[in-house]
Amino acid sequence: MDLPGGDAFIDVGDLFLSASAGMQPGEMVWTDGFTLQDAMSALEIGEPRLDSGMVSGPPFDPLTLLLPQELCWIIDRSFAYEMEWHAGNLLSNTVFTLVHVHEIPQLDSDLIPYDSADKARPVELLSIVLKTYVIGLLKCCGVAWDALNRGSLHDGEDWQADKAEVSLLEGYPVQNALGKLDDALTWISHTPKLTKQWKDALYARINFRKILLQLMNANVFADLAYFQALIFQARDALHYLREHPAPTPPPSSPAHLAFDPYIARRLICFIPIRVLTLPPMDETWRALELMLDGWHEMSLLSVARNVSTWETIGNLRLWRHTDRAAYIRERTQTCFHDGLRVLGHFTPTSWSTNAFLMETLGVSYDSICDMVGRGWTGRSPAPLGHLERQISKVLISTITGCWYNAPRRRRQLLQLALEWHTVYDTSLAMLENMQDSRPKVLEQLPNAILLGRLSALRELVLSGFQLELYAANERPFAYWYASQIIEKHLVCIDAIISILVPGEYQPSSLQSSDASGSESNSMKEMTFQRQFLTAVQLLCMAMYSVLAPGLPFDWGQMKHNFQRRYKWVFNAKYQDVVAAPVGHPELIRFLPALEEITEDEFYSPAATCELAYEILSVLVGSGDVGGWAGFAARERSQFIESFLRTSDLLRQNLPALVPTSESFKWKSLKWDPSRDPWFPILEFQLGGRQVVFRRIVVEFLCSSLNCGNGGVWVQFLSNQNAIGNCLSERVVVPAQVEAIGVLRLQPRDDVITLH
């Protein structure tokens, strides 16, 4: 290409050097009107991230004919870029790097050069297969973009909305795209120009794209069986793709030029170019599998008519760090509440309030209205409608918030705690205008509402450990405060259980079989929560008693940390509510509690963890998962089992008595949210090697580590391979490992590895 002005350049370097010889250091020469913006623009020239005119790499002709295996590789790589967009990267750095995305009109059989002698590269691979696939890819991204843009997730935080003014075929009907994909599948099935191997490979990839588009376009409430059938078909197609990966083309292949990581230089983009390193294809398939898992879970939740089941699933996702793409989380939120209906059918206000009361108190909202109407003594009408709207609003926010990202969920919990407190104040005010001889179940209405606030506060405090927000000197107070919240929570649960016990109160609305089942499930759930929360409280108290004695006393610093970490306590909106806040942190009570526990010669952190272990063992042994776990019963049971292992770890390694600052190795406690969301693992040094106590119960007989009475949870890893021989009761550590003594296994264990 001829350059403007020709290409007969002359070297003027010597001229500039001689002209600048007389200048002083730091002196500048500029023309009239030269500005800082001009100077900054000069820095952009030659910088690949800023110089939009700089071309890197050889040019690529999108009409270049491809081999079927090259096309399969391009399609697989586009899946990887698509998953990177769903992971939170820009479209200009991911999907749009596929050059053919910008050349769809050119992928026409009349425009593509045809070489009749090249039988291995049919023109239809571009004009039919690739063009159709790119249309399907853009429609999938367009449908996801539209859903995310209309949802409650946040651009720049959960996903990236910038399209760089590139069309995602917004005006192109999904049904037309599906028809094109069907045409491509028909051509692949009947063409004689491809071998069976590549027919099957291309068919599987185009079919998988078609199923993904169908899933994104489907309404789970319109035809649940069809929706679930699509998920099963997608799993089969994904399994085939995993088993038959596309080979990587040789370096000379034009397929490598189909992706331009610097494509943003051609787009209207104000963000510096970022070249992504794609993960291995196994990770891409895993990301797609997780997306299918999210759709499957959403299909099961769509028929779950209990808000407690939704809350259980949401909490498990947060506690277990289940990775869900922003698009799946938004679809799940919309499945519960789309702004007009709950679960696609129900009026939000009446249904959610009734569900809350039935699942908590075992009584319907109509029964509550009837009781209030018969006992109301106030001059103005009872604020039942206001109470109903309040409960509905905060309950829907509580459920949908479970599918926010963890930091935003924590920020939302601050607002939920305030909103639940407002509802609590409304219920108290209503009871004050009623006769003294009111039904017992009505007296527990404030406690039922208080459960929502205390749950929000508990999650708020414990999420700080998951997000690794607490400094070392903040953890003791956080554990103590969590235990105080749970104590109030348990008091409310005990009060509600008293009216759920058969014979105490049997409202007329619960005489049907369905209602009696609700009462039974409410009782089961309350009993489960009482046991589970008691175990959490015991472990929190044990950790507080172990950590607090090592806390350096600095009242000024402690007060500053409190005001910074718990600044939500001073929210002026709490002053607008008559009722005193329940569950607010009280720093003034912390130091007396610390003094009390350190002076208690009978208190034992290890024994406290032992009690928690026994409670959790009963839960695991009985198979009790509560009354509202639904299809998440197995997953809740697995979480309890992992929590049981944590309590076993702590009961065997925390000291028998409250330690002094010198008697316990504080650095041995390591908080790792990927292993446990709220409590630490233990690490020690043996012979200069790090030992992470995780899995195997052993007895150390060496003097280099004081393990009290013996058993500890430990897992030694060395290059992910187990070493050591399990012979009868003894394990012999190999000679290449530094001597750390002889380990004796308990009968239930059979492996030791070294890290």
Side-chain angles (χ1 to χ4, degrees):
M1 179 183 294
D2 294 334
L3 296 176
D7 56 0
F9 295 106
I10 300 174
D11 186 0
V12 294
D14 293 338
L15 178 63
F16 278 96
L17 289 174
S18 61
S20 62
M23 297 178 65
Q24 298 297 321
E27 186 178 357
M28 294 182 62
V29 177
W30 57 83
T31 61
D32 293 338
F34 187 85
T35 64
L36 177 62
Q37 181 178 358
D38 298 322
M40 296 300 294
S41 297
L43 298 177
E44 298 178 2
I45 299 175
E47 167 56 49
R49 296 175 299 172
L50 301 174
D51 188 352
S52 60
M54 182 179 179
V55 178
S56 58
F60 173 64
D61 182 4
L63 304 183
T64 302
L65 297 179
L66 299 169
L67 294 169
Q69 54 266 38
E70 292 174 329
L71 181 53
C72 287
W73 181 82
I74 290 174
I75 290 175
D76 287 356
R77 197 168 176 84
S78 70
F79 276 121
Y81 275 118
E82 183 183 10
M83 290 300 102
E84 288 300 299
W85 176 61
H86 281 294
N89 293 291
L90 288 165
L91 282 166
S92 57
N93 294 334
T94 54
V95 176
F96 291 168
T97 59
L98 177 58
V99 177
H100 297 94
V101 165
H102 313 278
E103 306 291 345
I104 292 179
Q106 305 302 318
L107 297 176
D108 190 280
S109 57
D110 295 333
L111 300 177
I112 301 175
Y114 178 67
D115 185 358
S116 60
D118 193 351
K119 302 296 184 181
R121 296 176 173 84
V123 173
E124 292 84 356
L125 286 180
L126 290 184
S127 63
I128 296 179
V129 180
L130 180 57
K131 179 179 181 179
T132 300
Y133 174 81
V134 172
I135 290 174
L137 170 64
L138 290 179
K139 282 308 299 180
C140 283
C141 293
V143 172
W145 189 96
D146 184 61
L148 288 164
N149 190 52
R150 289 185 287 105
S152 60
L153 300 187
H154 293 256
D155 176 23
E157 182 177 310
D158 295 284
W159 69 296
Q160 299 292 341
D162 183 20
K163 294 189 289 186
E165 298 194 18
V166 175
S167 171
L168 291 177
L169 304 183
E170 292 87 351
Y172 193 79
V174 172
Q175 294 303 321
N176 287 14
L178 292 173
K180 289 277 189 182
L181 290 166
D182 281 330
D183 293 341
L185 292 172
T186 301
W187 181 86
I188 294 171
S189 299
H190 296 90
T191 182
K193 299 181 180 181
L194 299 175
T195 64
K196 185 179 186 307
Q197 175 188 0
W198 298 114
K199 272 189 178 184
D200 293 342
L202 286 171
Y203 190 95
R205 285 160 173 80
I206 300 300
N207 187 49
F208 187 51
R209 174 57 64 190
K210 175 190 171 184
I211 297 172
L212 289 179
L213 183 54
Q214 288 175 311
L215 280 168
M216 290 183 171
N217 191 53
N219 183 347
V220 67
F221 298 110
D223 192 341
L224 178 60
Y226 169 72
F227 190 85
Q228 292 180 334
L230 287 177
I231 296 173
F232 293 137
Q233 294 174 26
R235 291 191 190 279
D236 291 340
L238 181 58
H239 177 73
Y240 180 90
L241 297 183
R242 276 180 159 172
E243 296 295 321
H244 301 83
T248 302
S252 59
S253 171
H256 291 284
L257 301 178
F259 295 91
D260 182 4
Y262 297 97
I263 195 69
R265 72 185 188 275
R266 295 169 43 188
L267 308 177
I268 302 176
C269 184
F270 302 98
I271 300 177
I273 296 172
R274 178 189 175 199
V275 179
L276 296 178
T277 301
L278 289 182
M281 283 307 301
D282 284 344
E283 294 187 23
T284 297
W285 304 138
R286 175 58 181 161
L288 283 162
E289 183 180 22
L290 288 173
M291 184 170 284
L292 294 178
D293 290 342
W295 270 315
H296 179 65
E297 181 178 273
M298 185 183 75
S299 71
L300 297 177
L301 284 169
S302 68
V303 294
R305 297 296 188 257
N306 307 305
V307 292
S308 297
T309 302
W310 278 82
E311 187 175 17
T312 298
I313 291 292
N315 284 334
L316 287 172
R317 292 292 156 266
L318 293 167
W319 296 345
R320 305 190 74 181
H321 290 275
T322 305
D323 190 14
R324 290 279 188 263
Y327 169 70
I328 293 297
R329 290 189 280 117
E330 191 283 327
R331 283 288 301 270
T332 306
Q333 289 178 327
T334 305
C335 178
F336 181 75
H337 183 237
D338 61 5
L340 297 175
R341 291 285 185 268
V342 171
L343 296 176
H345 303 288
F346 306 108
T347 303
T349 304
S350 59
W351 182 88
S352 55
T353 304
N354 188 70
F356 169 75
L357 294 172
M358 289 292 292
E359 295 169 30
T360 308
L361 296 175
V363 62
S364 67
Y365 175 66
D366 289 340
S367 297
I368 293 292
C369 292
D370 181 63
M371 297 176 204
V372 173
R374 286 186 281 108
W376 185 253
T377 60
R379 295 183 178 180
S380 59
L384 288 169
H386 179 56
L387 179 66
E388 182 184 25
R389 290 188 295 272
Q390 282 185 315
I391 292 177
S392 173
K393 178 184 176 183
V394 69
L395 190 64
I396 290 174
S397 297
T398 298
I399 301 303
T400 56
C402 292
W403 278 268
Y404 284 143
N405 63 67
R408 177 159 293 278
R409 171 61 171 170
R410 178 179 167 83
R411 294 193 292 273
Q412 187 210 31
L413 289 170
L414 300 175
Q415 181 64 26
L416 289 177
L418 174 60
E419 292 180 6
W420 278 115
H421 177 60
T422 304
V423 183
Y424 173 70
D425 178 70
T426 301
S427 66
L428 289 179
M430 187 174 66
L431 291 184
E432 289 177 357
N433 289 278
M434 292 190 64
Q435 298 173 356
D436 294 337
S437 58
R438 49 184 174 258
K440 292 183 179 179
V441 68
L442 200 57
E443 292 181 349
Q444 296 306 320
L445 179 60
N447 282 334
I449 295 170
L450 202 55
L451 291 179
R453 170 175 166 81
L454 295 172
S455 294
L457 291 177
R458 184 190 72 244
E459 290 301 310
L460 174 66
V461 176
L462 294 179
S463 66
F465 293 101
Q466 280 186 275
L467 297 173
E468 302 180 88
L469 299 179
Y470 298 130
N473 59 354
E474 293 179 300
R475 292 185 188 125
F477 183 84
Y479 278 123
W480 175 80
Y481 179 38
S483 70
Q484 300 301 303
I485 295 172
I486 295 174
E487 178 62 31
K488 292 180 173 60
H489 199 144
L490 291 172
V491 170
C492 292
I493 288 177
D494 288 339
I496 292 174
I497 285 179
S498 68
I499 61 100
L500 292 177
V501 174
E504 285 290 326
Y505 181 74
Q506 292 290 343
S508 58
S509 63
L510 298 181
Q511 297 304 313
S512 67
S513 58
D514 291 341
S516 62
S518 298
E519 181 187 29
S520 175
N521 286 336
S522 300
M523 184 67 178
K524 290 178 182 178
E525 184 65 25
M526 289 294 174
T527 304
F528 171 84
Q529 291 291 342
R530 179 168 60 182
Q531 293 176 286
F532 173 70
L533 292 178
T534 298
V536 176
Q537 182 192 35
L538 289 170
L539 294 183
C540 286
M541 284 301 298
M543 290 306 306
Y544 156 66
S545 67
V546 168
L547 295 174
L551 186 67
F553 179 78
D554 185 340
W555 176 252
Q557 183 64 38
M558 189 177 299
K559 183 179 179 181
H560 172 74
N561 288 344
F562 178 84
Q563 293 173 337
R564 176 178 58 87
R565 181 65 65 193
Y566 302 94
K567 56 181 177 290
W568 53 269
V569 173
F570 309 102
N571 189 337
K573 293 182 179 179
Y574 278 105
Q575 305 301 321
D576 299 332
V577 181
V578 176
V582 178
H584 264 21
E586 300 176 85
L587 181 61
I588 197 172
R589 292 180 53 202
F590 175 68
L591 292 179
L594 173 59
E595 182 179 357
E596 179 182 353
I597 200 169
T598 53
E599 293 180 353
D600 187 353
E601 59 182 10
F602 299 105
Y603 180 80
S604 170
T608 303
C609 294
E610 178 74 31
L611 181 56
Y613 177 80
E614 293 176 358
I615 294 173
L616 293 172
S617 297
V618 171
L619 281 178
V620 171
S622 64
D624 184 7
V625 292
W628 299 113
F631 69 89
R634 181 178 179 183
E635 189 172 358
R636 181 183 255 189
S637 178
Q638 291 173 346
F639 179 78
I640 297 299
E641 289 175 3
S642 67
F643 199 39
L644 175 66
R645 292 193 290 270
T646 298
S647 64
D648 198 5
L649 164 73
L650 295 175
R651 76 186 176 106
Q652 299 201 50
N653 291 283
L654 292 188
L657 299 176
V658 176
T660 62
S661 59
E662 296 83 13
S663 63
F664 187 76
K665 298 182 179 180
W666 312 103
K667 293 183 179 180
S668 64
L669 299 174
K670 303 295 180 182
W671 280 260
D672 185 353
S674 65
R675 297 178 178 179
D676 189 277
W678 308 319
F679 297 100
I681 61 173
L682 280 82
E683 293 184 354
F684 287 95
Q685 295 289 328
L686 285 179
R689 294 178 178 270
Q690 186 184 56
V691 179
V692 183
F693 291 75
R694 288 296 301 164
R695 186 176 180 81
I696 307 300
V697 181
V698 297
E699 181 180 357
F700 282 87
L701 303 179
C702 55
S703 60
S704 59
L705 175 64
N706 180 13
C707 294
N709 294 328
V712 292
W713 286 77
V714 62
Q715 181 181 31
F716 297 91
L717 298 177
S718 177
N719 299 324
Q720 305 302 320
N721 296 320
I723 59 177
N725 299 313
C726 226
L727 302 175
S728 64
E729 295 182 350
R730 289 181 178 272
V731 172
V732 180
V733 179
Q736 68 268 26
V737 180
E738 294 184 35
I740 58 174
V742 180
L743 311 178
R744 185 186 302 276
L745 272 78
Q746 295 184 3
R748 56 179 170 155
D749 304 306
D750 57 359
V751 175
I752 284 190
T753 55
L754 182 70
H755 183 64

